[in-house]
Amino acid sequence: MPLLTQLVRLFFLRRLREIDRFRSHPAEVQQLQLQKLLRQASATAFGKEYRFDEIRDGRQFGERIPVTDYAAFGSYIDRIRRGENNVTWPTDIRWFAKSSGTTASKSKFIPVSREGLRNCHLRGPMDIVCMVADRYPESRVFSGKTLTLGGSHRLENTGGTAQEGDLSAILIENTPRFGLRMRVPKPETALIADFERKVEAICRETVSQNVTSFAGVPSWNLVMLKKILEYTGKNNILEVWPNMELFAHGGMNFKPYREQYRQIIPSDRMKYIETYNASEGFFAIQDDPATEDMLLMLDYGNFFEFRSGDTVVPLEGVECGKVYAMLITSNNGLWRYEIGDTVEFTSTNPYRIRFAGRTRQYINVFGEELIVDNADRALLAACNETGAVVGEYTVAPCYMSLRERGAHEWILEFEREPDSREHFAEALDRELRAVNSDYDAKRRTTLERQRLTVVDRGLFLAWLRARGKNKVPRLVNDRHVAEEILAFGGEKK
């Protein structure tokens, strides 16, 4: 074991024991989180309104506090942004993470407290370090630096004492000095607004350094790595950074990008760790190299609940194989807040999840109930069967007419063409029918086979940059995103 890795593991021994504790006693740890949150916020305006001091357990909590989302909870957030203190959390809210979501154009401003920043947002990356040192004792990843590609919106004053901007800007401002010494690029480079200028600056700063890991959203990091190769004239990333061995990724399903990363980083030593972090908090980490699923982190100051239809259950009430919308009560002052993501439990001992999509990203125009997880699985299978690599995609309904049945239009970019597009379409349709029985039933009656619209490579990236977003909506229940992308400049092939 390399000495530095051994020292890192020794430093985190206590934390490893804490993680083992919530693995073994999840319900107990979650109830302690809830009681602590209620106690801390009992004197806030929200706590008084719902009489937190009278709540004794999770059942009473669920009966008394309504389920909310940003639209329902926004009036409290607006009060905090205007400078009012002690609204939903007792300590001052100094930051708001600005998020536009995936399909909505209206910005959301998610409160970030000192407790939430320290115990959740910054604790997640530290636990990644902890788990890597524990799971990979021979790793030399700590001998080099981590390249992080975050957002570009600098912090701005709200008019009061708080600041708002990308979560990455908040994290950069509050990362301890020792952490900043272990990462590249410099903060001022990381926050350059123009993506092309930022990547050029990253190239100049980092290609001569010993970068052993990188972190961020798969789509934008892939673009950055390709720019690195253009800048250096190298064939793969190992020729630039020979000690590269870790990518901690999150924000979207990694499966559609996995093959491209294997090609650009051809190394058996390369490790990929999926994380689940959002503006609302850091929630899960892939803790076991034998599975791609993520361990739900139960002691970050979050109390979790899960909704299936109209039924909301605590953690101990979930079932494996079922997709739930996730609700959080958190030390950022969010209460029974539905964050807009869906997850599927793959294990309840310990509690492991995988990201299934967004609550608003689905297609159910014809009763097919197609969700993002179905689409990603079918797409991966079709790519494997036909040798294709898909860069980005989105799916929209094609409505019925007097003469035609309905269908789904798949708008996509091929990084590598399939052996034939007809074979790809057949494989995709077959796999969609295999993973979703409702879709299969509708294909027998009201739905035609999906229609493929292949656009030029780079169209999705250009559209994202113009919109200031970093994720392509995968499934949309109407055609507004599809029409916008097609009108943006891509022509059907």
Side-chain angles (χ1 to χ4, degrees):
M1 178 186 296
L3 178 59
L4 189 54
T5 304
Q6 184 177 0
L7 292 174
V8 171
R9 188 180 185 281
L10 287 172
F11 179 82
F12 283 110
L13 278 179
R14 179 180 176 182
R15 180 57 188 155
L16 288 168
R17 289 193 292 268
E18 292 172 348
I19 293 172
D20 284 340
R21 180 173 181 271
F22 74 67
R23 279 195 183 104
S24 303
H25 303 90
E28 177 185 334
V29 170
Q30 274 287 275
Q31 287 305 312
L32 288 173
Q33 297 290 304
L34 176 60
Q35 292 302 324
K36 183 178 180 180
L37 291 166
L38 290 169
R39 185 171 62 252
Q40 288 177 299
S42 61
T44 64
F46 193 86
K48 291 176 179 178
E49 180 180 352
Y50 289 101
R51 305 191 305 278
F52 280 7
D53 57 341
E54 299 176 5
I55 298 176
R56 298 291 175 261
D57 54 33
R59 180 186 60 79
Q60 283 185 314
F61 177 71
E63 291 173 350
R64 181 164 297 183
I65 314 300
V67 172
T68 62
D69 57 13
Y70 193 82
F73 202 72
S75 61
Y76 295 101
I77 294 176
D78 289 341
R79 289 167 60 183
I80 304 171
R81 290 184 70 213
R82 289 195 296 265
E84 186 176 342
N85 294 323
N86 210 34
V87 179
T88 66
W89 191 248
T91 61
D92 294 346
I93 301 296
R94 296 184 178 181
W95 308 276
F96 290 89
K98 186 176 181 180
S99 170
S100 61
T102 311
T103 58
S105 57
K106 181 181 178 182
S107 293
K108 298 187 293 184
F109 297 89
I110 306 302
V112 179
S113 71
R114 285 174 292 180
E115 294 81 3
L117 183 67
R118 180 178 63 249
N119 298 327
C120 185
H121 286 292
L122 291 175
R123 197 172 191 180
M126 293 297 288
D127 277 349
I128 295 173
V129 173
C130 169
M131 291 179 184
V132 169
D134 183 51
R135 295 290 183 181
Y136 304 103
E138 300 305 318
S139 172
R140 297 185 180 274
V141 70
F142 305 114
S143 65
K145 295 190 175 183
T146 298
L147 194 162
T148 55
L149 180 67
S152 303
H153 295 157
R154 296 176 180 269
L155 296 182
E156 300 176 354
N157 290 329
T158 60
T161 59
Q163 294 179 300
E164 59 192 27
D166 280 357
L167 177 63
S168 57
I170 297 172
L171 297 180
I172 288 171
E173 183 177 276
N174 291 278
T175 298
R177 288 185 178 181
F178 74 87
L180 289 176
R181 286 197 294 268
M182 298 305 297
R183 60 173 287 174
V184 288
K186 297 179 294 188
E188 52 267 35
T189 300
L191 293 174
I192 292 175
D194 182 81
F195 183 77
E196 293 291 339
R197 285 185 53 237
K198 174 159 63 177
V199 171
E200 288 175 7
I202 287 174
C203 291
R204 290 194 299 270
E205 282 186 38
T206 64
V207 294
S208 61
Q209 301 199 50
N210 180 28
V211 176
T212 57
S213 63
F214 62 109
V217 177
S219 56
W220 288 100
N221 271 275
L222 188 62
V223 173
M224 180 195 68
L225 293 179
K226 291 179 179 179
K227 294 288 186 181
I228 293 284
L229 295 183
E230 290 179 12
Y231 180 83
T232 60
K234 302 297 185 182
N235 294 313
N236 64 67
I237 290 300
L238 297 179
E239 295 179 5
V240 182
W241 297 309
N243 299 318
M244 175 67 72
E245 61 171 282
L246 175 67
F247 178 28
H249 57 86
M252 59 180 59
N253 191 333
F254 185 59
K255 290 179 181 178
Y257 302 94
R258 184 177 295 279
E259 181 57 31
Q260 295 182 70
Y261 274 93
R262 284 175 176 163
Q263 292 178 12
I264 206 169
I265 312 175
S267 171
D268 294 336
R269 295 186 297 110
M270 191 66 189
K271 307 166 188 66
Y272 297 93
I273 295 180
E274 185 160 5
T275 65
Y276 181 7
N277 56 315
S279 298
E280 295 84 359
F282 204 114
F283 303 128
I285 302 171
Q286 182 184 346
D287 66 319
D288 186 347
T291 175
E292 295 183 350
D293 306 321
M294 296 175 285
L295 179 71
L296 197 61
M297 306 304 288
L298 303 180
D299 63 351
Y300 282 10
N302 295 309
F303 176 73
F304 295 103
E305 296 175 276
F306 301 89
R307 178 180 63 78
S308 177
D310 295 328
T311 302
V312 177
V313 298
L315 185 64
E316 57 267 32
V318 301
E319 302 174 20
C320 287
K322 199 168 184 178
V323 174
Y324 297 90
M326 193 163 82
L327 283 66
I328 60 167
T329 291
S330 81
N331 50 13
N332 288 312
L334 301 174
W335 298 91
R336 303 199 81 202
Y337 181 91
E338 188 167 305
I339 66 175
D341 291 343
T342 59
V343 298
E344 179 185 344
F345 280 85
T346 59
S347 168
T348 56
N349 184 28
Y351 284 96
R352 288 198 178 100
I353 60 172
R354 58 186 182 84
F355 183 78
R358 299 283 294 175
T359 54
R360 294 184 180 180
Q361 284 198 42
Y362 61 91
I363 297 181
N364 194 30
V365 174
F366 312 102
E368 66 274 43
E369 298 187 14
L370 189 72
I371 63 174
V372 173
D373 181 63
N374 301 152
D376 282 342
R377 288 190 187 188
L379 185 68
L380 180 63
C383 285
N384 289 339
E385 181 174 327
T386 65
V389 175
V390 171
E392 295 287 357
Y393 78 93
T394 190
V395 186
C398 298
Y399 303 111
M400 294 180 183
S401 69
L402 291 176
R403 295 182 177 84
E404 291 183 318
R405 295 190 296 171
H408 293 166
E409 181 180 16
W410 284 64
I411 304 170
L412 49 81
E413 296 178 9
F414 282 121
E415 290 290 329
R416 185 171 68 220
E417 284 276 349
D419 51 15
S420 82
R421 292 184 181 179
E422 176 62 23
H423 183 191
F424 180 88
E426 289 177 355
L428 180 61
D429 182 56
R430 183 174 66 253
E431 294 299 329
L432 285 168
R433 299 179 73 164
V435 299
N436 186 312
S437 58
D438 292 311
Y439 179 85
D440 181 56
K442 298 305 179 291
R443 278 284 287 112
R444 301 172 190 273
T445 54
T446 56
L447 276 179
E448 296 178 351
R449 194 184 77 180
Q450 81 285 334
R451 304 168 188 173
L452 295 185
T453 300
V454 181
V455 297
D456 291 334
R457 280 196 284 177
L459 173 63
F460 280 97
L461 176 62
W463 179 79
L464 284 171
R465 290 173 61 186
R467 290 288 301 270
K469 293 179 177 291
N470 61 17
K471 302 177 205 173
V472 176
R474 295 307 192 198
L475 305 184
V476 185
N477 218 28
D478 58 41
R479 291 195 55 81
H480 78 278
V481 169
E483 297 298 342
E484 185 176 319
I485 290 173
L486 292 174
F488 188 76
E491 296 183 359
K492 299 180 181 181
K493 290 183 176 180

